[in-house]
Amino acid sequence: MTTYLDVTATTPRTRTGAIKLHGPDAFAGMRRAGRIAAETLDALVPLVKAGVSTGDLDDFARDAIVAAGAVPINIGYQGYRHASCISVNHVVCHGIPGDKTLSEGDILNIDLTAVVDGWHGDTSRMFLVGDVPLKARRLVDVTYECLMLGVEAAIPGNRLGDIGHAIQRHAEKHRYSVVRDFVGHGVGLVYHDEPDVHHYGRPGTGPELRPGMIFTIEPMINIGKPGVKILDDDWTAVTRDRSLSAQFEHSIGITETGPEIFTQSPKGLHHPPYR
């Protein structure tokens, strides 16, 4: 049975097992945090090019978030040491920035979270390095379409399964697969909260979507099979068959009339190629 909880000033900032329903102040806080996160990704666009290291991109993201008056919450989170996760080609998620330099034809996801007054703006976006092969560009395009179809399904009265079904149906129509091992999640004053948001599922199933819910949708789509494995660093997830993977993520809130995206690009840089 699904439990919903109206958030008040005394609600614990922990995962309680209930789906939190937030008020106007929460939506205002998420707009501020989401905008800084999105602006940081916007600012990274001209820096993503062949020869640049993922560590340099992470350094820039950290400094940009701090300069905007926010906190790059990933630093120190469960022992993680970086402001962002940067996942290149067959890395599904949680790629660790470092000395690796980007090459012509790479695709990569940059995932970061900016915290303002306790509110978590969690988002990720794909980037293309130079002249990218058509099959990789098509994967990126379809993955963005999957995200937005999931967002469109996030209306009051629908269920979480409707979001997952919209994503799965579109991915599989293009003969891609949906990663099962990672999910979207509730977000707000708690980084990873209820509910879990699966990117596959059956329509009409799962918890009902109600105004005040805040969560991420972050589908990971593979050209090949959906299986992943975690490398020895205990963070980096890669496709088992080494096929390309792509991901986009938004933090959204459910209103009486539909979804509000908190992490939309202020510059209109929603998906590559970024002009």
Side-chain angles (χ1 to χ4, degrees):
M1 180 177 176
T2 304
T3 302
Y4 296 86
L5 176 67
D6 289 319
V7 174
T8 68
T10 61
T11 300
R13 295 191 181 188
T14 59
R15 194 163 182 162
T16 63
I19 296 175
K20 296 182 176 69
L21 301 179
H22 300 83
D25 289 347
F27 276 63
M30 288 298 296
R31 290 185 198 110
R32 293 192 297 271
R35 184 178 180 90
I36 290 174
E39 287 175 339
T40 303
L41 292 180
D42 285 354
L44 282 163
V45 167
L47 305 181
V48 176
K49 59 185 69 176
V52 173
S53 76
T54 56
D56 287 342
L57 296 176
D58 181 70
D59 288 343
F60 179 89
R62 178 198 62 222
D63 293 346
I65 291 170
V66 172
V71 176
I73 197 64
N74 287 333
I75 299 175
Y77 179 75
Q78 295 186 355
Y80 195 72
R81 299 180 180 180
H82 305 276
S84 65
C85 297
I86 302 181
S87 304
V88 183
N89 294 332
H90 73 289
V91 179
V92 176
C93 63
H94 302 159
I96 300 175
D99 295 333
K100 175 181 174 59
T101 57
L102 301 177
S103 299
E104 187 84 5
D106 283 344
I107 63 172
L108 63 148
N109 176 273
I110 302 180
D111 186 342
L112 51 83
T113 301
V115 177
V116 179
D117 297 329
W119 299 102
H120 294 69
D122 189 2
T123 187
S124 81
R125 206 180 297 171
M126 292 298 296
F127 295 79
L128 309 180
V129 183
D131 187 14
V132 171
L134 178 60
K135 71 172 185 178
R137 284 188 278 123
R138 186 60 186 145
L139 172 67
V140 171
D141 289 344
V142 170
T143 302
Y144 179 75
E145 292 163 4
C146 284
L147 169 66
M148 296 313 295
L149 287 168
V151 171
E152 289 175 12
I155 59 176
N158 271 2
R159 295 184 176 271
L160 280 174
D162 295 307
I163 294 175
H165 177 71
I167 292 167
Q168 181 182 6
R169 179 176 58 187
H170 191 66
E172 293 180 352
K173 181 177 76 174
H174 292 276
R175 299 186 178 180
Y176 298 146
S177 63
V178 179
V179 172
R180 263 68 168 172
D181 299 66
F182 302 98
V183 297
H185 52 87
V187 72
L189 291 173
V190 180
Y191 194 177
H192 295 97
D193 207 348
E194 302 291 346
D196 289 341
V197 181
H198 296 274
H199 304 114
Y200 59 93
R202 292 184 293 112
T205 63
E208 180 185 358
L209 301 178
R210 298 184 181 180
M213 291 174 65
I214 297 176
F215 54 85
T216 70
I217 302 176
E218 46 186 297
M220 302 167 204
I221 309 298
N222 296 346
I223 281 183
K225 296 180 179 179
V228 306
K229 65 178 180 180
I230 309 298
L231 300 186
D232 291 342
D233 58 27
D234 293 328
W235 283 102
T236 308
V238 301
T239 54
R240 286 190 173 274
D241 60 8
R242 296 188 67 82
S243 64
L244 292 175
S245 185
Q247 179 192 18
F248 285 88
E249 176 185 10
H250 275 316
S251 294
I252 72 167
I254 307 299
T255 76
E256 296 285 351
T257 56
E260 177 180 348
I261 300 174
F262 299 122
T263 48
Q264 193 81 286
S265 165
K267 292 185 176 180
L269 305 176
H270 305 310
H271 64 87
Y274 302 115
R275 305 300 188 191

